[in-house]
Amino acid sequence: MKHVHLTAAALLLLGLDPSAARAAIACADLAKTENTPADVTITEAVETLPSEEVSVAHCLIRGKTPDRQGIDGKTYAIRFELRLPVEWNERFVHQFNGGNDGAVVPALGPLLGGRKSDTALARGYAVVSSDAGHDGKANPDRGLAGGAAFGFDPQARRDYGYGAVATLQPIAEQIVEKHYGKPIAYRYGIGSSNGGRHGMMAAERMPEVFDGLLVGYPGFNLPKAAIQHALDIQAWSTVDPDIAKAFSRDDLKTVADGVLAACDSLDGVPDGIVADADACETTFKIETLACASGANTGCLRTEQIEALKTSIAGPRDAEGRALYTHWIFDTGIASSNWRTWKLESPIEPWAKRPIIGVMGAASLAQVFTTPPTEVGGTPDELIAFLRDFDVARDGARIAAADETFTESAMDFMVPPGADNPRLDAFREAGHKMLVFHGNSDPVFSVVDTVDWYKKLDANHDGRASDFVKLYRIPGMPHGASGPSFNDFDFFTPLVDWVEQGKAPSGVAAGITEDNTEAASLEGTRFLYCPYPAVTRAGADPAADGEGRYTCR
């Protein structure tokens, strides 16, 4: 929905001078008190020339909201960065960052495909980025747990969950419109992982704000997924106390090869891609990879199979009720990304522990359970926390609250109504959302996102695709990589949908030059289809590239 100009009366009600709103303000002058939004400090406002890192000339703004004292004695503020291109297209992007936030990532507006140079800023969009209200380096005494220590302050938790985006959005808009002397025509939000969760949260809590949201592999049920981390570490430990040795790279390749052999042709095209993931889920059986008597290569030991089955099934409480969701087997299980998250990272200061074992443990202990738990900051202490976490008993703490932490992790992290989504206000505003998720994601189960979409679709009598599109990406782990077609652009079809009413259909994809894990697919292209359609053989078997496929 195109945003209209505010009337002079409306501007006055907001405390803005109508004449000032029409007059462009130079970059350096944006730091002057009279041009700064109330209670905001601009620490830097400089014209920036193009460089190898940032290809366009722009005005770089850095600032922060007022400092406040947390109940943990730490100082908090929302720090942000805003980049305003000289050649502006009258559009704005809120860059939702990922992980534990805690740092102001450069406001470039990554468009989430494998081609990293493709950014919103380079396309002429104004872009804002923030630290979500906390400094990830404020607790060095806590070691590797320091990045999530903000969880000891309730407001910091809330800002991380949803408050920072809501606070920063009008501030950024005001600065953009002051600088250019004209209103923003369209507003977009872009994010992946926890940033994708930010986008889904905004659709529920701020439905009137964003014309379009690009949501990549979202962790919208992040507290639930955090319980999975404990389950995984416990499962891998039954195979080997050194979890990096629970599965070798060859073991995981055996799984990927088994999935491909069983499922490649289910979509009608034997092309090295498992496009029909639903059919594969019922066709592939991990037990078929069990070692025969005396064999020890190209197969899995019994304890390895049982550990994978435990992980894939997902965590459950003492009554056997699911605490998260289940997962699927896909070819990206052999990717370095999957291994880095689940089993073994290349990070020396982490003693090469996986991301779920370091960042995941710190977050589960300090942010996603109430009350927060002090946890040691060494790799071994963090792994030990997950090994000792009683999934069946303590999993309920993600929904707990108390007199100090009045919002549970499920309250401040998960979009309201996510278990029965409607997004009525977002739909009625005419806004659009495009979601994509890798079938091999090791962090957030694609099944959770698909289930969310199925419920949304049912709540709209099968018409959810009128305003939300979901794309499943075969072979893709947590991000545009792995044995997948990672050179894609979902942002352009989103913009066309928002601004021209052209609903997306199949999205073509290739492979970036640096994606060596997709070498077997090199020289070919693919077509990603909106769920529930599956990429299948097209009518012309002689067609090239994505033309050999159709969505049905």
Side-chain angles (χ1 to χ4, degrees):
M1 177 181 292
K2 188 171 176 67
H3 292 268
V4 299
H5 292 252
L6 291 174
T7 64
L11 288 167
L12 287 171
L13 284 173
L14 291 172
L16 304 177
D17 179 356
S19 61
R22 290 190 298 269
I25 296 176
C27 181
D29 290 340
L30 290 171
K32 293 180 178 178
T33 303
E34 63 269 24
N35 296 326
T36 302
D39 296 325
V40 171
T41 300
I42 301 298
T43 58
E44 188 175 357
V46 295
E47 294 284 2
T48 305
L49 295 175
S51 66
E52 290 186 6
E53 292 77 24
V54 184
S55 62
V56 297
H58 62 279
C59 171
L60 172 61
I61 303 292
R62 291 193 173 107
K64 68 182 186 70
T65 60
D67 290 342
R68 67 171 184 83
Q69 194 79 2
I71 67 169
D72 56 355
K74 299 295 181 178
T75 300
Y76 291 92
I78 301 171
R79 295 176 298 146
F80 66 89
E81 175 178 296
L82 183 60
R83 295 187 188 238
L84 311 172
V86 172
E87 296 185 15
W88 184 46
N89 64 6
E90 301 185 20
R91 287 145 178 81
F92 171 82
V93 163
H94 198 134
Q95 174 182 315
F96 307 131
N97 296 314
N100 285 329
D101 285 301
V104 183
V105 178
L108 306 179
L111 298 181
L112 310 184
R115 204 159 292 284
K116 305 307 180 186
S117 60
D118 191 10
T119 66
L121 181 67
R123 293 189 184 191
Y125 292 77
V127 183
V128 73
S129 167
S130 84
D131 65 359
H134 63 272
D135 180 359
K137 297 182 179 179
N139 296 278
D141 55 310
R142 293 183 181 270
L144 296 176
F150 70 90
F152 286 89
D153 178 69
Q155 181 61 47
R157 285 183 166 200
R158 187 177 304 116
D159 283 342
Y160 172 61
Y162 62 89
V165 171
T167 298
L168 181 58
Q169 180 70 19
I171 292 171
E173 288 186 22
Q174 186 174 338
I175 295 172
V176 170
E177 294 183 344
K178 276 182 173 289
H179 177 55
Y180 294 113
K182 60 176 67 174
I184 297 167
Y186 293 95
R187 294 156 171 80
Y188 294 92
I190 301 175
S192 60
S193 190
N194 178 46
R197 181 200 63 82
H198 276 300
M200 294 176 71
M201 184 72 87
E204 285 282 10
R205 290 184 174 271
M206 306 164 59
E208 74 288 350
V209 173
F210 295 101
D211 299 286
L213 291 166
L214 178 59
V215 173
Y217 37 102
F220 71 94
N221 261 322
L222 218 162
K224 292 183 178 182
I227 300 174
Q228 176 78 36
H229 302 336
L231 180 70
D232 284 342
I233 295 301
Q234 292 169 21
W236 310 154
S237 297
T238 65
V239 179
D240 195 302
D242 183 352
I243 57 177
K245 296 178 181 177
F247 297 90
S248 68
R249 288 171 176 79
D250 285 342
D251 291 332
L252 296 178
K253 185 177 184 302
T254 293
V255 178
D257 290 346
V259 172
L260 196 62
C263 303
D264 188 2
S265 297
L266 294 175
D267 51 32
V269 190
D271 54 2
I273 292 290
V274 178
D276 195 342
D278 287 341
C280 187
E281 190 172 354
T282 58
T283 299
F284 173 71
K285 304 297 181 185
I286 189 68
E287 293 86 356
T288 61
L289 303 180
C291 292
S293 178
N296 57 15
T297 60
C299 58
L300 298 181
R301 304 190 306 276
T302 299
E303 62 269 26
Q304 291 177 312
I305 290 175
E306 291 306 312
L308 284 172
K309 289 172 65 175
T310 296
S311 174
I312 289 290
R316 294 187 175 273
D317 66 14
E319 281 71 46
R321 294 177 297 234
L323 291 170
Y324 183 38
T325 188
H326 71 278
W327 304 65
I328 63 171
F329 286 107
D330 189 46
T331 57
I333 194 171
S335 68
S336 59
N337 177 283
W338 197 97
R339 186 173 191 85
T340 293
W341 278 96
K342 291 280 198 183
L343 291 165
E344 177 187 27
S345 79
I347 306 171
E348 292 289 350
W350 291 12
K352 296 188 176 183
R353 298 301 194 187
I355 299 175
I356 65 168
V358 177
M359 188 168 68
S363 298
L364 180 60
Q366 300 171 126
V367 182
F368 300 144
T369 47
T370 300
T373 301
E374 288 195 23
V375 63
T378 68
D380 286 344
E381 287 172 315
L382 291 164
I383 291 291
F385 172 80
L386 292 180
R387 277 201 181 113
D388 296 339
F389 187 85
D390 191 323
V391 170
R393 182 193 66 203
D394 294 335
R397 291 177 56 199
I398 64 173
D402 59 26
E403 292 183 359
T404 301
F405 299 91
T406 57
E407 288 180 282
S408 73
M410 293 298 291
D411 290 333
F412 66 77
M413 288 298 293
V414 180
D419 58 343
N420 186 31
R422 292 200 57 87
L423 292 174
D424 287 332
F426 185 78
R427 176 185 57 81
E428 289 165 7
H431 296 167
K432 304 292 188 282
M433 182 190 301
L434 194 154
V435 184
F436 68 95
H437 201 146
N439 287 338
S440 295
D441 193 336
V443 189
F444 306 120
S445 173
V446 68
V447 176
D448 200 32
T449 302
V450 171
D451 286 348
W452 170 86
Y453 185 80
K454 285 180 178 178
K455 293 173 184 175
L456 179 69
D457 196 41
N459 284 339
H460 289 278
D461 300 321
R463 299 294 300 275
S465 63
D466 288 349
F467 66 105
V468 178
K469 300 283 188 183
L470 168 63
Y471 292 79
R472 299 182 67 166
I473 312 299
M476 190 180 87
H478 199 61
S481 62
S484 68
F485 290 89
N486 69 320
D487 191 3
F488 51 73
D489 174 12
F490 285 114
F491 186 62
T492 296
L494 173 66
V495 171
D496 289 345
W497 195 13
V498 167
E499 301 184 17
Q500 301 174 27
K502 181 181 177 182
S505 54
V507 174
I511 300 167
T512 59
E513 298 81 2
D514 61 346
N515 188 7
T516 57
E517 292 185 329
S520 63
L521 306 172
E522 193 172 348
T524 61
R525 290 177 62 79
F526 198 69
L527 188 70
Y528 290 131
C529 297
Y531 185 85
V534 172
T535 305
R536 300 193 184 278
D540 183 3
D544 293 327
E546 64 272 18
R548 60 183 174 151
Y549 298 105
T550 190
C551 296
R552 54 184 173 86

